[in-house]
Amino acid sequence: MMSDQFIVTITPPTPNGDLHIGHIAGPFLSADVFTRTQRLKGARCYLVSYSDDYQSYLKRKALESGINEVTLAKVNSAKIQESLRMTDIHIDHWLESYENRHFEDAVQMLYEFGLEHNLIELKTSLVPYCEHCQIWGYEAFARGGCNHCGNSSDPSQCEFCAMAPDSPEMTDLRCTLCNQSLVYKSVERMFLKLPMVAQALRTHLEKAPMRTQLRTWLNDAFERGLTDWGITRPGESGLKLYKNEAHRVHTWFMGQAGYFAALKELSEQSASPQDAYELLFDPTTHVVNFLGMDCSYSHVLAYPAQVLLDQRFKFKNVFYTNAFLKLDGVDFSTSRSHAIWVRDLVSDACVDSVRFYVSLVTPEEQSENFSVEAFWAWRQHIFGELLPQIVSAISVPDVSRKMPHPLMLSEHETDLIRQWQKGAQHDDFSMKSIASVLMQLLEIIEVQLNAGEQPRNCIVLFALLSEPTMPRLSQALQQQLGFDERTAFNALLGLRQVSKDE
């Protein structure tokens, strides 16, 4: 019987700037910890993402800064990749989508399948237009009141209610360049007919693991009733598939194609005989999407609908959404310079402390807060005081220690292992829960060290279980542990076995 295998995806960042801590606390770090966790348990796992080079927010940034779009995308894509490397977020393959043949082929494959199976059709719709700026009011170039929740939104996906606004029904829709009201023009566009597959889609998604917030949102979306979703935007910055402007596909339709293309490019460039792209056609494969809650409409409704009728694709869906992280109680805002850049914090602190703290405050189910003052106080205590004590406690090998068979663990230690294993499940994953277990282990270790005791079991557990969250610290601690000790505990925990050379 074949074991489960995983394709893990991170929603593609728009290359209009670098990454701040709010980005990392969302899909990026969670996807990395998930991937490391499944590999630690012996699973085959690929982590992919790409640069969202056809996003209209990139076009707006280019207009505002006077920099060529393509140049801006390449510069910022390089910055984003460097920030990810600095944070030890290891993506197996990062694809740059602009004029990428794999990307274009994947978009065309999904698009043409929809056309052939009557899932995509041409319709006339009203589209906002700014006569002053002579620009269509798509996504980055228009903002008004969402017709679903009333909050301020662009006409694409509302970041508050995660629904897809209907632009003619939005209130006070204005151009983001000149702030003037928009007019509406009739435009021929292609639409994805979600109502056509609504019942089958609902049945399919009932089997997909997801967090409570997303499940509630999804049930509400189906109760409201799905509507046709516009997938082309004539005159916009999306990918133009054919000569006719009606086939200019917008970026939100292309997300799944981006993941497929990254896998295809990885397969071509890899020396390994195992083909990452072929996993899409394997029923033991789980495609695990990490995304912000505001990306739910495209990822959870549209992307499964794209392949629902295609019998070639056998993979199962898993979705992990997150809410927003605030900075000192206020929303992150690069325009107001209210942000902490990833590279700056990692340089000032250290990568493991940033990863650990962000894991503790990650907004998995609800909005959370990153306090700069609290972070530095926490870091000083954990990394400045407690961890040096732990390193000192295991720096001299305990030659008298013999590993009992079976290992003798306290009830509390056994319970913490169960908590870690629950948080590490692929279908109920929680980076926050894993980090909480690590903090509980540190608290036990601190109490016992202060009492003059040797909390060896908890130190070994911390060293092994912290590997996905703090890879550098974990490796340093494991190097000081005896091989037999590591092997015995790994066997107990059901983790991969270590070699004597590690």
Side-chain angles (χ1 to χ4, degrees):
M1 183 175 180
M2 294 184 65
S3 59
D4 292 332
Q5 41 201 359
F6 304 94
I7 294 169
V8 186
T9 74
I10 302 171
T11 42
T14 303
N16 59 351
D18 203 351
L19 299 179
H20 55 60
I21 289 298
H23 293 125
I24 296 300
F28 291 93
L29 185 57
S30 294
D32 180 76
V33 173
F34 177 92
T35 301
R36 290 176 183 272
T37 300
Q38 304 317 312
R39 287 175 178 162
L40 194 61
K41 296 193 293 181
R44 183 181 175 196
C45 200
Y46 293 102
L47 174 57
V48 297
S49 190
Y50 70 99
S51 178
D52 195 359
D53 299 339
Y54 292 96
Q55 168 62 258
S56 61
Y57 280 97
L58 174 65
K59 181 178 181 179
R60 194 180 86 186
K61 183 70 172 182
L63 288 172
E64 293 170 345
S65 61
I67 301 174
N68 175 270
E69 267 181 81
V70 177
T71 301
L72 185 64
K74 289 190 176 298
V75 168
N76 285 321
S77 178
K79 286 182 179 178
I80 290 168
Q81 292 176 73
E82 177 61 20
S83 292
L84 293 175
R85 283 191 292 269
M86 291 179 68
T87 323
D88 279 349
I89 295 175
H90 294 164
I91 295 179
D92 291 300
H93 191 70
W94 176 275
L95 178 136
E96 294 190 352
S97 58
Y98 182 72
E99 292 188 342
N100 183 294
R101 65 180 178 88
H102 295 299
F103 184 76
E104 293 176 8
D105 287 348
V107 174
Q108 190 165 348
M109 174 188 68
L110 294 172
Y111 187 78
E112 290 185 347
F113 180 87
L115 288 173
E116 291 168 7
H117 291 78
N118 199 33
L119 190 59
I120 293 175
E121 71 174 6
L122 185 66
K123 293 172 57 177
T124 299
S125 66
L126 292 176
V127 175
Y129 183 79
C130 179
E131 295 181 319
H132 178 264
C133 299
Q134 296 186 339
I135 195 166
W136 293 102
Y138 299 118
E139 197 155 23
F141 295 99
R143 200 157 189 92
C146 172
N147 60 292
H148 295 288
C149 69
N151 286 293
S152 177
S153 174
D154 65 32
S156 182
Q157 289 187 102
C158 179
E159 65 184 39
F160 290 92
C161 71
M163 295 299 292
D166 183 1
S167 55
E169 300 297 322
M170 297 177 72
T171 58
D172 195 25
L173 194 63
R174 293 178 176 271
C175 173
T176 56
L177 297 179
C178 68
N179 200 38
Q180 291 193 20
S181 296
L182 303 176
V183 299
Y184 287 90
K185 296 188 176 185
S186 294
V187 175
E188 284 193 326
R189 303 170 60 202
M190 291 293 184
F191 283 77
L192 182 66
K193 297 161 63 176
L194 290 174
M196 172 181 160
V197 293
Q199 187 53 53
L201 184 60
R202 186 168 196 172
T203 300
H204 171 78
L205 291 173
E206 284 174 354
K207 305 171 188 175
M210 62 185 71
R211 291 180 175 137
T212 303
Q213 182 186 26
L214 179 59
R215 182 67 69 189
T216 300
W217 176 88
L218 187 62
N219 289 337
D220 180 60
F222 279 112
E223 290 304 314
R224 290 170 183 253
L226 303 188
T227 59
D228 291 346
W229 187 53
I231 62 172
T232 64
R233 297 172 180 167
E236 201 233 15
S237 54
L239 175 64
K240 188 176 179 181
L241 285 178
Y242 313 109
K243 291 182 180 180
N244 190 330
E245 270 288 318
H247 301 288
R248 187 179 290 272
V249 185
H250 70 69
T251 190
W252 287 108
F253 176 82
M254 301 190 290
Q256 182 158 244
Y259 306 140
F260 288 4
L263 290 165
K264 192 68 173 178
E265 197 167 79
L266 171 62
S267 297
E268 281 197 0
Q269 296 178 4
S270 175
S272 170
Q274 295 178 323
D275 191 340
Y277 183 73
E278 290 301 317
L279 293 187
L280 293 171
F281 312 105
D282 190 323
T284 65
T285 299
H286 302 263
V287 173
V288 187
N289 297 130
F290 282 86
L291 60 144
M293 190 65 197
D294 55 325
C295 300
S296 298
Y297 201 93
S298 57
H299 279 71
V300 185
L301 291 175
Y303 297 168
Q306 288 175 347
V307 297
L308 193 64
L309 303 179
D310 194 333
Q311 298 302 313
R312 295 171 299 172
F313 294 103
K314 304 294 185 182
F315 63 83
K316 304 178 182 71
N317 286 114
V318 182
F319 303 99
Y320 288 112
T321 50
N322 61 268
F324 291 107
L325 184 72
K326 295 181 181 294
L327 174 60
D328 291 329
V330 180
D331 290 341
F332 276 80
S333 172
T334 55
S335 62
R336 299 194 307 270
S337 298
H338 187 70
I340 298 178
W341 302 107
V342 169
R343 61 180 64 229
D344 293 337
L345 189 60
V346 169
S347 298
D348 292 341
C350 68
V351 62
D352 280 329
S353 66
V354 172
R355 287 174 63 100
F356 193 10
Y357 191 78
V358 167
S359 296
L360 288 167
V361 299
T362 185
E364 288 182 346
E365 291 281 5
Q366 60 187 15
S367 180
E368 299 284 357
N369 184 56
F370 183 98
S371 165
V372 176
E373 183 179 355
F375 166 72
W376 284 107
W378 172 89
R379 187 190 182 282
Q380 172 57 31
H381 177 63
I382 300 299
F383 283 78
E385 299 165 8
L386 179 56
L387 285 172
Q389 284 182 268
I390 294 173
V391 171
S392 178
I394 62 173
S395 59
V396 179
D398 187 355
V399 295
S400 65
R401 177 175 167 85
K402 294 182 179 180
M403 299 307 299
H405 299 285
L407 290 172
M408 301 299 293
L409 297 174
S410 70
E411 185 177 339
H412 194 183
E413 290 165 350
T414 302
D415 183 58
L416 288 176
I417 291 172
R418 290 197 192 99
Q419 290 181 42
W420 188 94
Q421 290 172 332
K422 184 178 187 304
Q425 292 177 192
H426 82 268
D427 55 355
D428 193 21
F429 175 76
S430 172
M431 179 174 73
K432 197 184 195 82
S433 295
I434 289 174
S436 173
V437 170
L438 299 179
M439 273 304 301
Q440 291 180 66
L441 283 167
L442 287 178
E443 289 166 0
I444 295 170
I445 292 169
E446 184 174 28
V447 169
Q448 293 186 355
L449 286 177
N450 289 340
E453 301 171 7
Q454 284 294 322
R456 190 77 181 187
N457 282 355
C458 285
I459 291 177
V460 176
L461 288 174
F462 178 82
L464 297 176
L465 299 181
S466 63
E467 187 172 327
T469 307
M470 293 172 282
R472 299 188 189 188
L473 174 63
S474 173
Q475 289 171 16
L477 292 175
Q478 289 187 51
Q479 286 175 2
Q480 296 188 51
L481 298 174
F483 173 74
D484 291 340
E485 194 168 31
R486 293 157 60 194
T487 301
F489 272 87
N490 271 316
L492 169 73
L493 299 169
L495 306 181
R496 62 174 175 79
Q497 294 300 300
V498 295
S499 69
K500 291 188 177 181
D501 296 328
E502 283 190 86

